[in-house]
Amino acid sequence: MAQKPSIPKGTRDFSPVEVSKRNYIISIMRRHFEQFGYQPIETPSFENSETLMGKYGEEGDRLIFKILNSGDYLDKVPAEELQNINYKKLTGKISEKALRYDLTVPFARYVVQHQNEIEFPFKRYQIQPVWRADRPQKGRFREFYQCDADVVGSTSLWQEVELVQLYDSVFTALGLAGVTIKINNRKILSGIAEVIGASDKLIDFTVALDKLDKIGEEGVKKEMLEKGISEDALVKVQPLFSFTGNIQEKLEKLSQLLAASEEGQKGIEELRFICENLTRLGLQKANLDLDVTLARGLNYYTGAIFEVSAPEGVAMGSIGGGGRYDDLTGIFGLKNMSGVGISFGLDRIYLVLEELNLFPPTVTTSTQVLFLNFGESQAFEAMKAVTNLRAKGVKAEVYPDAAKIDKQFKHAERRMIPFVVKEIKGDLFSLKNLQTGEQSETDLTGILAKLA
């Protein structure tokens, strides 16, 4: 008996309707990326393992999908190592490549590898799938698309201002009002770690803090204690858990909290520049908020950090994020190449638009008009008409078989094709609107006018 087919957990098939909706989101993103001057690139689905490993922190490394070497992948492993297996040593010998975890690290590799061909500052966008060995749940998948925009070769904070504008521009075009663009700065987090005496635990501190919305205040404190951060430090960090007020008020509170930290003060000034200029320029539909607990657990962020949350009332994780990374390309040998970028979570944005019923009805319209098939002679006339309509940009087709008329009508209804041509008499066509039931005799020009 044949085995029932299935797909791996955390992956999905997409129907024609779903693909049409995804393409709608992507087309809007692509248009706005290019309006802002970003150029498209693509990189391979898999990279050499050493390109990816060690760039995302310990937790990120565990979520990277490793690819077994082709052929006899155990051939190079000594027999004694197989008897006493060391997972980390063994992985390096049986797997030299891995599926990309995100688009930022491959982009940094691309920049270093093609540095002599690139005009800096270099603004690029990239829309491709990534893979993470994560626990599947609502809005979280093991295979998903990232849609990134980055600029490298400039330390100007105007780039951060522009990226917030880009977020706002895309979400406004999607009709998604009320998203909140949260902003913080890793220098502020470093300053907080410094003033509470936990500078040597910065990564542990930020990784735990970043989980505040998932595990709550007590969960964060528990994790910090487990990582060796002292009770005294937790008392000093307590104000972060109830940080209220508008952006200006939060900046003033931070200035007092971080008065003794030069690094923290730098972060405050950077945030002040970004937020003040965005306030003066104005945003269309998005909200901007300073979130001092926003850490994003990626080791490579060095300045501004962004995260976008869905409109209030929509139960969804972040739908975008990013930040400044001053030394990412240095990992690959190219020093002093600062970069900043953001990512859009296509799959989560899709779910939010679906929940809020924000997809235009026309998004899923494929064929606009179906010509019924009454036999070979009329089929030829129908094909002639369809050829002319397609040349004018109309999505048109002929039912391939001279089947029963009821069957052809049901086919059109199931596919939600709005118009059907029932009969052809010379240059006239009997056109029926399946949504209203209206029928008319018209020529090709009339059909074009109806479909406009």
Side-chain angles (χ1 to χ4, degrees), residues 346-364:
L346 172 64
D347 297 289
R348 291 187 175 186
I349 292 169
Y350 179 106
L351 292 172
V352 172
L353 294 182
E354 190 92 302
E355 183 172 333
L356 297 176
N357 197 28
L358 291 175
F359 283 109
T362 54
V363 166
T364 55

Side-chain angles (χ1 to χ4, degrees), residues 84-153:
N84 186 22
I85 292 176
N86 180 307
Y87 150 72
K88 289 187 177 178
K89 285 185 180 179
L90 184 61
T91 300
K93 291 180 178 175
I94 66 174
S95 173
E96 297 170 357
K97 299 175 183 65
L99 293 176
R100 60 171 174 245
Y101 176 90
D102 73 349
L103 299 179
T104 306
V105 170
F107 171 53
R109 189 268 309 152
Y110 175 94
V111 169
V112 174
Q113 199 168 341
H114 298 275
Q115 58 187 284
N116 296 325
E117 308 152 30
I118 292 173
E119 173 62 30
F120 294 103
F122 179 47
K123 299 169 80 171
R124 85 81 167 88
Y125 76 86
Q126 195 171 348
I127 302 173
Q128 288 187 279
V130 299
W131 294 267
R132 296 183 184 179
D134 216 340
R135 184 172 65 85
Q137 53 187 284
K138 183 184 178 184
R140 180 169 299 213
F141 308 100
R142 289 176 172 173
E143 178 186 61
F144 58 96
Y145 268 73
Q146 280 191 343
C147 311
D148 285 11
D150 291 77
V151 54
V152 291

Side-chain angles (χ1 to χ4, degrees), residues 87 109 118 134 152 173 206 229 231 243 248 264 296 372 382 389:
Y87 150 72
R109 189 268 309 152
I118 292 173
D134 216 340
V152 291
T206 55
I229 296 170
E231 289 273 8
F243 222 67
Q248 187 59 40
R296 295 191 66 81
L372 302 188
L389 289 170

Side-chain angles (χ1 to χ4, degrees), residues 43-61:
T43 59
S45 298
F46 55 92
E47 298 270 352
N48 292 324
S49 294
E50 61 263 25
T51 299
L52 304 179
M53 298 299 289
K55 311 304 189 301
Y56 306 101
E58 188 178 336
E59 287 193 18
D61 280 355

Side-chain angles (χ1 to χ4, degrees), residues 52 98 108 127 143 150 152 156 174 191 196 215 320 332 337 343 397:
L52 304 179
I127 302 173
E143 178 186 61
D150 291 77
V152 291
S156 170
L174 289 169
I196 67 171
I215 61 177
F332 301 115
M337 186 62 72
S343 181
E397 62 178 285

Side-chain angles (χ1 to χ4, degrees), residues 180-192:
T180 298
I181 303 168
K182 300 175 185 177
I183 186 170
N184 198 12
N185 194 297
R186 282 299 282 257
K187 294 183 178 72
I188 286 174
L189 294 168
S190 297
I192 294 169

